[in-house]
Amino acid sequence: MGQTIWQNGDICLHIDGTHGELEVRLPAPAVQVSLTYRSGRNRTIPLVTDASERQPESERTAPVKLPEQECWLPVVDVAVTPGMYGRVAVQKQAGGSYAWNGHLFPARHPVEDTLHIPGQQLLDWENVLWFSRRDNAVTEFALVQTYPHLPSTSLAFQRDIAFLTDCWYGEIQVSATLADGQDVLVGAVTVAEHYPAGIPSAADGLNRNALTGALRENLRYILDSRVHSANSPSRDGFYLFYDMDARTYRNAFWPWGWGPAIRALLDSGEIPEIAAEFDPDTLKTAAYRAGKASLRYMVEAPGHITHHLSTSRYDPNPLMDGGVRERICCSADGGFLCGWAWLPLYRATGDERFLTAAKHHADRVEELCREFGVPPQDYAGETKAFTAHTLDESGFGTEAFEALFRETGDTAYQELSRRYMDLHVEKFRREDGLWQRLYHRPTDSAEESIYMTRGLGWAMEGLLCTHRTMAGTTDRYLQQAREMADQLLRYQRPDGAWNFRFNQPEEDVGIGEKGVALWSLLFYQLHRETGDPAHLSAARKALGWCMRNQQTGGTAGERGAVPGISPQSAVVYRKWYKIACLYTAGFFALALLEELKLHDTDMA
């Protein structure tokens, strides 16, 4: 965008991209200067329980019982530097206690009119402020930093500022303590909302130029989604979501969902047009660092039932003490991460930690299958117990076994894949080829399918993985995959997409963009096995929809992404808001690579 200058009287702010330089002419000699940052992103701070205006009428008119607790989601979009702290103004109605990023800092504090949050507890982008009583309200969140100043020097004050985005907007207020002890407001400079020029729209059709162009912008989106916060245990990993309504990244604590993006970074460097744009070592290094970050979430608790399982996600949730829900994956999410990230990273880098982690995971899944049959979905942090249910989505846990078998040649992983899938097929599969939504272990019963495009895609992924792992021994998993695919073919829209629940109208459920990207890749994989032109046609139609709906403007968090608006926009919160998801980008990139492989084959 080039440099912009924002000025108000004796305060001048130069911004060039993410770098700012603040120049202030003080009114008198001062001993210290304080800067207060009020980001425009915090003018309206979302609550986890917020309802989007896009919700269908049927949802908005239905009675909703709100919890007694609440989570607010303030944003930090300026680099946190030593001495900085967060200041929260509270309209204290109910008292009670609060927690700030309670999964990392579990202390509870009494609610006051003003809360001071230490800088080491501030995370880049989304933060979670939990109140034990929802009647308390946040009226302002700001960042404050105070600098010493020598009163005998000139009246000039200058500081460099690192913004987290090239689209920062808001107000920077300057105050000073003068040499005589008087505190004065020097003034404030306001930065208006502004955005860079958009990227070119993708060309029509699936020609190579359009494919590589879409892939290039997709990779930019993935790289821009990396976590840089020094205070975050997810540093070098990824934010799972970009919220286009609130213009902020969200949730750096879903490491299982990083897998497809890591695989896309590893594989894309082999495309000449991409290698000319990005140094392949840069892509590989980003993938490697993210993979190492994901290993931090593997549980090391010898003798405990969660030992060598992976903490798959932390969600903002007001019902949890501290405002964040912890889920340790039993089999599915960890297996997904093994197959998409850990084993490919082992092949790419030779780092034995990835292979060891995957083997540990497989050993634990084998134990869980012996104990439970279908493994539980999760271990819940709040109950300190396994959940009583398993979802259809757990089918994709076989990613681990396919990758381990191909890496080691050990037929024990073939057998584990077969057993894991057969246990699921017995409890989930229906006569029409679809899977039921949920298996309830205590009653040995299943809940009906909700026809969710993405959820059934995870089941399809598992069937295809098991087929490839068992290649040459049986075709039954491929046949089951074909039968499920037949159902999806019936419901694919003319534009190539599927609705979030594919048997329901768009106005009630929205489009399932995560499922569209996933099923595009799945149909490419299925076509590789069947050669059926209907499968290739479905893959290409879905890929074309993703390309046409790729964002070409807005902030760095938006450009190159494929957003969606649905009952699960951000899966467990922010429903019906406009959200881009990291694993949507990962599957979109992998589908683009599949189409490019076909182009290369045709040219051979």
PDB file of all heavy atoms in Angstrom, residues 172-188:
ATOM      1  N   ILE A 172      -4.512   5.790  18.778  1.00  0.00           N
ATOM      2  CA  ILE A 172      -3.376   5.759  19.703  1.00  0.00           C
ATOM      3  C   ILE A 172      -3.403   7.060  20.496  1.00  0.00           C
ATOM      4  O   ILE A 172      -3.272   8.147  19.925  1.00  0.00           O
ATOM      5  CB  ILE A 172      -2.035   5.598  18.977  1.00  0.00           C
ATOM      6  CG1 ILE A 172      -2.041   4.321  18.140  1.00  0.00           C
ATOM      7  CG2 ILE A 172      -0.889   5.563  19.985  1.00  0.00           C
ATOM      8  CD1 ILE A 172      -0.791   4.134  17.289  1.00  0.00           C
ATOM      9  N   GLN A 173      -3.594   6.921  21.781  1.00  0.00           N
ATOM     10  CA  GLN A 173      -3.648   8.091  22.668  1.00  0.00           C
ATOM     11  C   GLN A 173      -2.301   8.263  23.347  1.00  0.00           C
ATOM     12  O   GLN A 173      -1.679   7.285  23.767  1.00  0.00           O
ATOM     13  CB  GLN A 173      -4.746   7.904  23.713  1.00  0.00           C
ATOM     14  CG  GLN A 173      -4.860   9.025  24.729  1.00  0.00           C
ATOM     15  CD  GLN A 173      -5.914   8.728  25.770  1.00  0.00           C
ATOM     16  OE1 GLN A 173      -7.100   8.646  25.462  1.00  0.00           O
ATOM     17  NE2 GLN A 173      -5.491   8.544  27.015  1.00  0.00           N
ATOM     18  N   VAL A 174      -1.859   9.518  23.472  1.00  0.00           N
ATOM     19  CA  VAL A 174      -0.578   9.835  24.095  1.00  0.00           C
ATOM     20  C   VAL A 174      -0.836  10.689  25.335  1.00  0.00           C
ATOM     21  O   VAL A 174      -1.546  11.700  25.271  1.00  0.00           O
ATOM     22  CB  VAL A 174       0.339  10.605  23.127  1.00  0.00           C
ATOM     23  CG1 VAL A 174       1.699  10.881  23.777  1.00  0.00           C
ATOM     24  CG2 VAL A 174       0.513   9.835  21.817  1.00  0.00           C
ATOM     25  N   SER A 175      -0.285  10.261  26.456  1.00  0.00           N
ATOM     26  CA  SER A 175      -0.328  11.060  27.682  1.00  0.00           C
ATOM     27  C   SER A 175       1.072  11.109  28.272  1.00  0.00           C
ATOM     28  O   SER A 175       1.944  10.302  27.915  1.00  0.00           O
ATOM     29  CB  SER A 175      -1.328  10.487  28.684  1.00  0.00           C
ATOM     30  OG  SER A 175      -1.007   9.143  28.987  1.00  0.00           O
ATOM     31  N   ALA A 176       1.301  12.059  29.159  1.00  0.00           N
ATOM     32  CA  ALA A 176       2.646  12.255  29.697  1.00  0.00           C
ATOM     33  C   ALA A 176       2.571  12.688  31.148  1.00  0.00           C
ATOM     34  O   ALA A 176       1.604  13.333  31.587  1.00  0.00           O
ATOM     35  CB  ALA A 176       3.408  13.292  28.870  1.00  0.00           C
ATOM     36  N   THR A 177       3.596  12.294  31.905  1.00  0.00           N
ATOM     37  CA  THR A 177       3.808  12.822  33.248  1.00  0.00           C
ATOM     38  C   THR A 177       4.918  13.853  33.155  1.00  0.00           C
ATOM     39  O   THR A 177       6.059  13.521  32.787  1.00  0.00           O
ATOM     40  CB  THR A 177       4.184  11.706  34.233  1.00  0.00           C
ATOM     41  OG1 THR A 177       3.144  10.723  34.255  1.00  0.00           O
ATOM     42  CG2 THR A 177       4.379  12.265  35.629  1.00  0.00           C
ATOM     43  N   LEU A 178       4.594  15.106  33.417  1.00  0.00           N
ATOM     44  CA  LEU A 178       5.545  16.192  33.255  1.00  0.00           C
ATOM     45  C   LEU A 178       6.546  16.215  34.404  1.00  0.00           C
ATOM     46  O   LEU A 178       6.369  15.546  35.433  1.00  0.00           O
ATOM     47  CB  LEU A 178       4.800  17.524  33.173  1.00  0.00           C
ATOM     48  CG  LEU A 178       3.736  17.621  32.069  1.00  0.00           C
ATOM     49  CD1 LEU A 178       3.117  19.014  32.049  1.00  0.00           C
ATOM     50  CD2 LEU A 178       4.314  17.262  30.709  1.00  0.00           C
ATOM     51  N   ALA A 179       7.581  16.979  34.211  1.00  0.00           N
ATOM     52  CA  ALA A 179       8.642  17.045  35.208  1.00  0.00           C
ATOM     53  C   ALA A 179       8.129  17.535  36.557  1.00  0.00           C
ATOM     54  O   ALA A 179       8.678  17.188  37.611  1.00  0.00           O
ATOM     55  CB  ALA A 179       9.767  17.949  34.704  1.00  0.00           C
ATOM     56  N   ASP A 180       7.051  18.335  36.551  1.00  0.00           N
ATOM     57  CA  ASP A 180       6.498  18.824  37.814  1.00  0.00           C
ATOM     58  C   ASP A 180       5.504  17.853  38.443  1.00  0.00           C
ATOM     59  O   ASP A 180       4.827  18.188  39.421  1.00  0.00           O
ATOM     60  CB  ASP A 180       5.834  20.187  37.609  1.00  0.00           C
ATOM     61  CG  ASP A 180       4.652  20.128  36.630  1.00  0.00           C
ATOM     62  OD1 ASP A 180       4.292  19.012  36.208  1.00  0.00           O
ATOM     63  OD2 ASP A 180       4.112  21.192  36.288  1.00  0.00           O
ATOM     64  N   GLY A 181       5.360  16.623  37.870  1.00  0.00           N
ATOM     65  CA  GLY A 181       4.469  15.616  38.415  1.00  0.00           C
ATOM     66  C   GLY A 181       3.060  15.653  37.865  1.00  0.00           C
ATOM     67  O   GLY A 181       2.245  14.780  38.183  1.00  0.00           O
ATOM     68  N   GLN A 182       2.755  16.616  37.029  1.00  0.00           N
ATOM     69  CA  GLN A 182       1.407  16.733  36.471  1.00  0.00           C
ATOM     70  C   GLN A 182       1.206  15.723  35.346  1.00  0.00           C
ATOM     71  O   GLN A 182       2.065  15.550  34.488  1.00  0.00           O
ATOM     72  CB  GLN A 182       1.194  18.156  35.948  1.00  0.00           C
ATOM     73  CG  GLN A 182      -0.169  18.395  35.342  1.00  0.00           C
ATOM     74  CD  GLN A 182      -0.303  19.785  34.747  1.00  0.00           C
ATOM     75  OE1 GLN A 182       0.647  20.568  34.740  1.00  0.00           O
ATOM     76  NE2 GLN A 182      -1.467  20.086  34.211  1.00  0.00           N
ATOM     77  N   ASP A 183       0.051  15.040  35.358  1.00  0.00           N
ATOM     78  CA  ASP A 183      -0.321  14.132  34.279  1.00  0.00           C
ATOM     79  C   ASP A 183      -1.171  14.889  33.273  1.00  0.00           C
ATOM     80  O   ASP A 183      -2.174  15.528  33.655  1.00  0.00           O
ATOM     81  CB  ASP A 183      -1.105  12.936  34.811  1.00  0.00           C
ATOM     82  CG  ASP A 183      -0.235  12.012  35.659  1.00  0.00           C
ATOM     83  OD1 ASP A 183       0.961  11.871  35.355  1.00  0.00           O
ATOM     84  OD2 ASP A 183      -0.767  11.445  36.641  1.00  0.00           O
ATOM     85  N   VAL A 184      -0.792  14.806  31.991  1.00  0.00           N
ATOM     86  CA  VAL A 184      -1.519  15.532  30.956  1.00  0.00           C
ATOM     87  C   VAL A 184      -1.814  14.610  29.779  1.00  0.00           C
ATOM     88  O   VAL A 184      -1.063  13.676  29.504  1.00  0.00           O
ATOM     89  CB  VAL A 184      -0.728  16.761  30.447  1.00  0.00           C
ATOM     90  CG1 VAL A 184      -0.470  17.757  31.567  1.00  0.00           C
ATOM     91  CG2 VAL A 184       0.581  16.329  29.789  1.00  0.00           C
ATOM     92  N   LEU A 185      -2.954  14.868  29.142  1.00  0.00           N
ATOM     93  CA  LEU A 185      -3.289  14.191  27.895  1.00  0.00           C
ATOM     94  C   LEU A 185      -2.720  15.015  26.761  1.00  0.00           C
ATOM     95  O   LEU A 185      -3.114  16.173  26.556  1.00  0.00           O
ATOM     96  CB  LEU A 185      -4.809  14.054  27.759  1.00  0.00           C
ATOM     97  CG  LEU A 185      -5.311  13.483  26.432  1.00  0.00           C
ATOM     98  CD1 LEU A 185      -4.827  12.051  26.242  1.00  0.00           C
ATOM     99  CD2 LEU A 185      -6.833  13.548  26.369  1.00  0.00           C
ATOM    100  N   VAL A 186      -1.781  14.446  26.031  1.00  0.00           N
ATOM    101  CA  VAL A 186      -1.166  15.161  24.918  1.00  0.00           C
ATOM    102  C   VAL A 186      -2.117  15.196  23.726  1.00  0.00           C
ATOM    103  O   VAL A 186      -2.238  16.209  23.030  1.00  0.00           O
ATOM    104  CB  VAL A 186       0.175  14.508  24.529  1.00  0.00           C
ATOM    105  CG1 VAL A 186       0.807  15.233  23.340  1.00  0.00           C
ATOM    106  CG2 VAL A 186       1.123  14.503  25.720  1.00  0.00           C
ATOM    107  N   GLY A 187      -2.815  14.093  23.479  1.00  0.00           N
ATOM    108  CA  GLY A 187      -3.745  14.021  22.357  1.00  0.00           C
ATOM    109  C   GLY A 187      -3.827  12.606  21.827  1.00  0.00           C
ATOM    110  O   GLY A 187      -3.339  11.650  22.448  1.00  0.00           O
ATOM    111  N   ALA A 188      -4.437  12.444  20.688  1.00  0.00           N
ATOM    112  CA  ALA A 188      -4.619  11.126  20.091  1.00  0.00           C
ATOM    113  C   ALA A 188      -4.619  11.251  18.578  1.00  0.00           C
ATOM    114  O   ALA A 188      -5.015  12.281  18.020  1.00  0.00           O
ATOM    115  CB  ALA A 188      -5.917  10.478  20.565  1.00  0.00           C
TER     116      ALA A 188
END
